[in-house]
């Protein structure tokens, strides 16, 4: 009889810290919801130029998803904790760049870096669960990880509002930097808890100090605090040596010198802060070219759909050149996968039906989930009085709060219910909720009973998190848990992007058909129609409701497909992990 390995307290602490980090990274996706108007005004954008500010959001999403496979593979080869620490460091750097940004380009660059760091936390954390817990005990920790990730979407706007109550938008990102560094420092002593070989157990304090000073200099150059710039003595550091560029000031030149010293330290230290000597071998094992091709393809897909204006189209105006780039990149990646001696996704990694089936199920879950995240608030804004927009915003919270609850419950139930059955039941619950939403009328949200459908839908999506993750980890080898976990997240995110495009198209067609049946305003209003009467406004509102009904029906269909595929393709993980 094989004894069950004991889970050490340090391992649980390590996973808890990683989960908290994921929660903050997920919150950062939504933290700009309330801060966006002030961020726009800082860089000279008016509130009616929201489309120009879209890269602040889509830039984070691009970094969050596009490089996930590459980071996941690195975590398989380099170790979970080093990648977690590196991701937190990248997240902190992105937070510094965002907080100190002085124009739209630097804000977008900071958000992109933040996204890379935030997204890089997920694959090693999921793989860490598989490394530390046996298959039959993974359900609850996977549920907890999924719960905190979903909880971030609820806490993000609230966190932003709390910070804005006593500071400006930059304070949000300075706090993000501090939290990221604190979490990294707390994880550092727990490297051994991951049960993986550590390249070096010595800390390079000199390299760390040089890196910190270089980052501090970068922040001061970019932020250019008024109090320092106007100081009689300190202000000299902000006077350009030549020209008028902030990058030619004595402070900037000092920052460049510190950065150069940091690079020299990395290249010459016996135990450098960054183990650069392992990079060439790591690059050969990782298949960087394959990773870059996949990143390029995913980036083109994200920009095609994430930067679209839902009111004018379902894809970006740049789609005519983004789509061909995506196609060429994906074809190149497929060729690279077949020919590379060590491909990004090791051959046979997803050979098991349950393994690739979990990716397919995750795709359809994402396609259904996006309808709730986008169109439930849309319905609320359409039907709730203008004086009660706060109530409209709180409608989605009823759905979102149920998600993390469902995630933990799903992890607990996984010990008692087969993964394929649990996934099927969960997605059927969400399908029933969407079907009921497709019957909502103009006053439905005035009744508290509608909270039941919102909670049912949120619980359904939450319940599906742990079983899908568990099946993937249970039917793939330990050596590929990082890359396969990354692909699972990518499948869900791509499903969300393609899902919102398809569902929006279906909804718009229903709206146009309903609009064509509306009599002219002059007929409904009994006059010239210059001042639209309430009857005509109600008719337009009803056409909008018809559009959302079509979206909810489409989401219900996607949820049913996920339920059926989950029942057929997923099966309970084997008792013994694959070697």
């Amino acid at each position: 009889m094989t004894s069950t390995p004991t889970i050490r307290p340090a391992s649980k602490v390590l996973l808890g810290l990683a989960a908290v980090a994921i929660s903050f990274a997920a919150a950062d996706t939504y933290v700009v919801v309330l801060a966006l108007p002030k961020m726009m005004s800082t860089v000279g954008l008016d509130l009616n130029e929201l489309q120009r500010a879209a890269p602040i959001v889509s830039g984070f999403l691009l970094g969050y998803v596009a490089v996930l496979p590459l980071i996941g593979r690195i975590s398989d080869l380099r170790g979970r904790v080093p990648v977690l620490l590196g991701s937190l460091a990248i997240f902190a750097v992105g937070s510094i760049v965002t907080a100190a940004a002085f124009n739209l380009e630097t804000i977008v660059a900071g958000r992109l870096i933040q996204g890379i760091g935030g997204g890089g936390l997920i694959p090693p954390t999921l793989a860490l669960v598989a490394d530390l817990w046996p298959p039959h005990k993974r359900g609850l920790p996977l549920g907890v990880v999924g719960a905190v990730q979903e909880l971030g979407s609820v806490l993000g706007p609230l966190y932003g509002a709390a910070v804005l109550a006593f500071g400006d938008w930059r304070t949000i990102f300075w706090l993000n930097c501090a939290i990221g560094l604190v979490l990294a420092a707390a994880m550092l002593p727990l490297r051994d808890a991951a049960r993986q070989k550590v390249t070096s157990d010595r800390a390079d304090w000199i390299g760390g100090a040089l890196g910190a000073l270089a980052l501090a200099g970068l922040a001061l150059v970019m932020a250019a605090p008024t109090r320092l710039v106007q100081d009689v003595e300190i202000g000299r550091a902000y006077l350009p040596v030549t020209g008028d560029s902030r990058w030619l000031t004595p402070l900037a030149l000092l920052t460049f010198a510190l950065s150069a010293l940091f690079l020299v330290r990395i290249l010459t230290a016996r135990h450098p802060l960054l183990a650069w000597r392992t990079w060439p071998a790591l690059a050969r094992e990782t298949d960087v070219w394959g990773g870059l091709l996949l990143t390029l393809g995913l980036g083109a897909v994200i920009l095609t759909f994430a930067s679209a204006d839902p009111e004018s189209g379902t894809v970006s105006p740049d789609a005519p050149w983004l789509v061909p780039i995506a196609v060429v990149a994906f074809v190149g990646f497929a060729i690279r996968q077949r020919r590379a001696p060590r491909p990004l996704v090791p051959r046979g990694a997803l050979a098991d039906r349950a393994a690739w089936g979990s990716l397919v199920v995750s795709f359809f879950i994402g396609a259904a989930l996006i309808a709730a995240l986008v169109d439930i608030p849309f319905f609320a804004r359409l039907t709730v009085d203008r004086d009660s927009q706060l109530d409209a915003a709180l409608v989605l919270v009823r759905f979102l709060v149920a998600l993390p609850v469902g995630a933990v419950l799903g992890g607990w139930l996984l010990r008692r219910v087969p993964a394929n059955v649990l996934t099927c039941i969960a997605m059927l619950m969400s399908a029933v909720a969407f079907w009921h939403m497709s019957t909502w009328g103009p006053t439905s949200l005035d009744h508290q009973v509608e909270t039941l459908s919102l909670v049912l839908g949120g619980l359904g999506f939450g319940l599906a998190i742990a079983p899908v993750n568990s099946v993937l980890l249970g039917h793939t080898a330990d050596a590929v848990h990082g890359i396969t976990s990354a692909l699972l997240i990518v499948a869900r995110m791509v499903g969300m992007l393609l899902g919102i495009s398809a569902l929006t198209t279906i909804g718009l067609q229903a709206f146009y058909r309903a609009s064509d049946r509306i009599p002219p305003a002059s007929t409904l209003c009994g006059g010239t129609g210059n001042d639209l009467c309430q009857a005509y406004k109600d008719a337009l509102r009803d056409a909008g409701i018809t559009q959302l009904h079509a979206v909810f029906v489409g989401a219900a269909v996607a949820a049913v497909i996920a339920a059926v595929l989950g029942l057929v393709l997923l099966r309970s993980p084997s008792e013994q992990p694959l070697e």
Side-chain angles (χ1 to χ4, degrees), residues 6 39 132-133 136 151 208 219 546:
T6 303
M39 295 174 73
L132 299 177
W133 274 263
H136 64 282
L151 191 62
T546 300

Side-chain angles (χ1 to χ4, degrees), residues 67-77 80 83 123-124 481-483 486:
V67 297
L68 267 182
L70 191 57
I71 293 177
R73 184 58 182 152
I74 291 173
S75 77
D76 288 331
L77 299 172
R80 316 300 182 201
V83 172
H481 280 159
I483 179 64

Side-chain angles (χ1 to χ4, degrees), residues 167-361:
D168 63 5
W169 67 266
R170 298 182 189 275
T171 307
I172 295 173
F173 299 102
W174 288 123
L175 284 175
N176 282 348
C177 174
I179 292 169
L181 294 177
V182 168
L183 288 171
M187 283 185 193
L188 196 58
L190 300 172
R191 289 175 295 175
D192 292 338
R195 296 179 182 166
Q196 288 189 322
K197 182 180 178 181
V198 179
T199 302
S200 174
D201 57 358
R202 297 188 184 183
D204 180 15
W205 298 109
I206 296 177
L210 288 172
L213 289 173
L215 282 177
L218 175 66
L220 289 173
V221 171
M222 294 180 62
T226 303
R227 184 174 299 179
L228 297 182
V229 173
Q230 294 181 351
D231 186 274
V232 176
E233 296 297 330
I234 300 177
R236 296 178 180 178
Y238 285 93
L239 296 177
V241 176
T242 181
D244 57 358
S245 173
R246 69 175 66 206
W247 302 109
L248 294 176
T249 61
L251 180 60
L253 297 177
L254 176 61
T255 299
F256 296 150
L258 288 170
S259 301
L261 290 174
F262 176 61
L263 180 60
V264 170
R265 176 67 186 181
I266 289 175
L267 296 175
T268 59
R270 184 175 181 181
H271 299 284
L273 183 67
L274 301 176
W276 67 272
R277 296 179 183 89
T278 65
W279 292 356
L282 181 62
R284 289 192 297 270
E285 293 287 334
T286 306
D287 185 22
V288 174
W289 289 112
L292 292 177
L293 284 170
L294 185 55
T295 297
L296 178 62
L298 290 173
V301 169
I302 292 168
L303 293 177
T304 298
F305 296 100
S307 59
D309 183 359
E311 296 182 359
S312 60
T314 57
V315 296
S316 168
D318 298 323
W321 60 270
L322 285 173
V323 172
I325 289 177
V327 171
V328 171
F330 286 139
V331 170
F333 172 71
I335 296 173
R336 180 72 183 176
Q337 273 291 116
R338 293 177 62 88
R339 297 182 178 178
R342 298 181 180 89
L344 182 70
V345 183
R347 296 182 180 91
L350 298 171
D352 192 290
R353 184 182 70 172
W356 60 259
S358 62
L359 303 187
V360 176
V361 173

Side-chain angles (χ1 to χ4, degrees), residues 353-428:
R353 184 182 70 172
W356 60 259
S358 62
L359 303 187
V360 176
V361 173
S362 183
F363 174 89
F364 282 99
I365 289 176
L369 176 62
I370 192 63
L373 299 180
V374 173
D375 290 289
I376 289 176
F378 189 9
F379 189 97
R381 288 194 298 269
L382 190 64
T383 58
V384 176
D385 294 337
R386 290 183 180 274
D387 294 335
S388 304
Q389 286 302 297
L390 178 59
D391 293 338
L394 292 176
V395 170
L396 183 62
V397 173
R398 306 175 205 173
F399 176 92
L400 293 175
V401 168
L403 256 172
V405 175
V408 176
L409 181 61
W412 179 77
L413 287 173
L414 196 55
R415 292 190 183 184
R416 297 158 178 82
V417 182
N420 60 334
V421 175
L422 183 56
T423 303
C424 181
I425 293 173
M427 295 315 299
L428 287 178

Side-chain angles (χ1 to χ4, degrees), residues 359-548:
L359 303 187
V360 176
V361 173
S362 183
F363 174 89
F364 282 99
I365 289 176
L369 176 62
I370 192 63
L373 299 180
V374 173
D375 290 289
I376 289 176
F378 189 9
F379 189 97
R381 288 194 298 269
L382 190 64
T383 58
V384 176
D385 294 337
R386 290 183 180 274
D387 294 335
S388 304
Q389 286 302 297
L390 178 59
D391 293 338
L394 292 176
V395 170
L396 183 62
V397 173
R398 306 175 205 173
F399 176 92
L400 293 175
V401 168
L403 256 172
V405 175
V408 176
L409 181 61
W412 179 77
L413 287 173
L414 196 55
R415 292 190 183 184
R416 297 158 178 82
V417 182
N420 60 334
V421 175
L422 183 56
T423 303
C424 181
I425 293 173
M427 295 315 299
L428 287 178
M429 289 170 57
S430 296
V432 170
F434 278 127
W435 172 82
H436 183 66
M437 292 176 197
S438 70
T439 66
W440 280 353
T443 61
S444 292
L445 293 180
D446 295 336
H447 308 292
Q448 291 300 320
V449 69
E450 300 305 332
T451 298
L452 295 177
S453 60
L454 293 167
V455 171
L456 182 67
L459 279 175
F461 283 108
L463 284 170
I465 291 175
V468 174
N469 287 341
S470 180
V471 167
L472 176 74
L473 294 173
H475 289 269
T476 52
D478 293 347
V480 295
H481 280 159
I483 179 64
T484 53
S485 296
L487 293 176
L488 186 73
I489 303 300
V490 168
R492 174 172 161 173
M493 298 301 296
V494 172
M496 293 175 72
L497 291 171
L498 297 182
I500 190 59
S501 177
L503 293 175
T504 300
T505 300
I506 294 171
L508 286 175
Q509 290 176 350
F511 175 78
Y512 294 145
R513 289 194 297 268
S515 298
D516 291 340
R517 294 193 294 267
I518 299 176
S522 57
T523 302
L524 279 179
C525 299
T528 61
N530 291 332
D531 295 321
L532 298 182
C533 63
Q534 189 61 41
Y536 191 77
K537 293 179 181 178
D538 290 344
L540 289 176
R541 179 204 60 200
D542 292 342
I545 291 176
T546 300
Q547 172 186 349
L548 295 175

